[in-house]
Short mmCIF file of all heavy atoms in Angstrom, two decimals:
data_model
loop_
_atom_site.label_atom_id
_atom_site.label_comp_id
_atom_site.label_asym_id
_atom_site.label_seq_id
_atom_site.Cartn_x
_atom_site.Cartn_y
_atom_site.Cartn_z
N MET N 1 45.17 33.15 11.82
CA MET N 1 44.64 34.37 12.43
C MET N 1 45.12 35.59 11.63
O MET N 1 46.29 35.68 11.27
CB MET N 1 45.15 34.46 13.87
CG MET N 1 44.54 35.59 14.64
SD MET N 1 44.99 35.52 16.39
CE MET N 1 46.77 35.76 16.31
N SER N 5 45.44 45.37 13.67
CA SER N 5 45.98 46.69 13.35
C SER N 5 45.51 47.68 14.39
O SER N 5 44.59 47.39 15.16
CB SER N 5 45.47 47.14 11.97
OG SER N 5 44.06 47.26 12.05
N VAL N 9 42.54 57.41 15.89
CA VAL N 9 41.50 58.22 15.24
C VAL N 9 41.24 59.50 16.02
O VAL N 9 40.98 59.47 17.23
CB VAL N 9 40.19 57.40 15.13
CG1 VAL N 9 39.06 58.25 14.56
CG2 VAL N 9 40.39 56.16 14.26
N THR N 20 35.52 63.00 10.68
CA THR N 20 35.74 62.80 9.25
C THR N 20 35.06 61.49 8.82
O THR N 20 34.80 60.61 9.65
CB THR N 20 37.24 62.70 8.90
OG1 THR N 20 37.76 61.53 9.54
CG2 THR N 20 38.02 63.92 9.34
N THR N 31 36.89 46.34 16.19
CA THR N 31 36.38 45.29 17.08
C THR N 31 36.68 45.65 18.54
O THR N 31 36.03 45.17 19.45
CB THR N 31 37.00 43.92 16.73
OG1 THR N 31 38.43 44.05 16.75
CG2 THR N 31 36.56 43.46 15.34
N ASP N 37 39.07 60.21 27.56
CA ASP N 37 37.93 60.89 28.18
C ASP N 37 37.55 62.21 27.53
O ASP N 37 36.51 62.77 27.82
CB ASP N 37 38.10 61.04 29.69
CG ASP N 37 39.36 61.73 30.08
OD1 ASP N 37 40.02 62.33 29.20
OD2 ASP N 37 39.70 61.69 31.25
N VAL N 56 39.64 54.56 28.60
CA VAL N 56 40.98 54.64 29.18
C VAL N 56 41.32 56.08 29.55
O VAL N 56 42.47 56.46 29.62
CB VAL N 56 42.05 54.06 28.23
CG1 VAL N 56 41.87 52.57 28.06
CG2 VAL N 56 42.02 54.76 26.87
N THR N 65 44.34 55.90 33.81
CA THR N 65 44.94 54.71 33.22
C THR N 65 46.33 55.10 32.75
O THR N 65 46.45 55.97 31.90
CB THR N 65 44.10 54.24 32.01
OG1 THR N 65 42.73 54.26 32.39
CG2 THR N 65 44.50 52.86 31.57
N GLU N 101 52.57 56.80 20.79
CA GLU N 101 51.83 55.54 20.65
C GLU N 101 52.16 54.87 19.32
O GLU N 101 52.40 53.66 19.26
CB GLU N 101 50.32 55.80 20.79
CG GLU N 101 49.96 56.19 22.20
CD GLU N 101 48.48 56.49 22.41
OE1 GLU N 101 47.68 56.29 21.48
OE2 GLU N 101 48.13 56.93 23.52
N ASN N 116 43.18 61.99 10.95
CA ASN N 116 43.07 63.34 11.52
C ASN N 116 41.72 63.60 12.17
O ASN N 116 40.71 63.04 11.76
CB ASN N 116 43.21 64.40 10.41
CG ASN N 116 44.62 64.63 9.98
OD1 ASN N 116 44.93 64.56 8.80
ND2 ASN N 116 45.50 64.91 10.92
N ALA N 138 46.88 88.51 11.45
CA ALA N 138 47.73 87.40 11.89
C ALA N 138 48.18 86.57 10.70
O ALA N 138 47.35 86.06 9.94
CB ALA N 138 46.95 86.50 12.85
N GLY N 167 52.63 89.25 15.00
CA GLY N 167 51.44 88.93 14.20
C GLY N 167 51.16 87.45 14.10
O GLY N 167 50.76 86.97 13.04
N PRO N 204 29.24 71.98 20.92
CA PRO N 204 27.96 72.65 21.14
C PRO N 204 27.30 72.42 22.51
O PRO N 204 26.82 73.37 23.11
CB PRO N 204 27.07 72.11 20.03
CG PRO N 204 27.97 71.54 19.01
CD PRO N 204 29.25 71.20 19.68
N HIS N 224 34.97 83.31 35.76
CA HIS N 224 34.02 82.48 35.01
C HIS N 224 34.16 81.00 35.34
O HIS N 224 33.55 80.17 34.68
CB HIS N 224 34.18 82.72 33.51
CG HIS N 224 33.79 84.11 33.11
ND1 HIS N 224 32.52 84.44 32.72
CD2 HIS N 224 34.50 85.26 33.08
CE1 HIS N 224 32.46 85.74 32.46
NE2 HIS N 224 33.67 86.26 32.68
N ALA N 230 40.22 73.28 28.31
CA ALA N 230 39.99 74.60 27.73
C ALA N 230 41.21 75.05 26.94
O ALA N 230 42.33 74.67 27.28
CB ALA N 230 39.70 75.61 28.84
#
Side-chain angles (χ1 to χ4, degrees):
M1 186 172 64
S5 63
V9 175
T20 64
T31 55
D37 55 13
V56 293
T65 314
E101 291 179 6
N116 282 127
H224 294 269

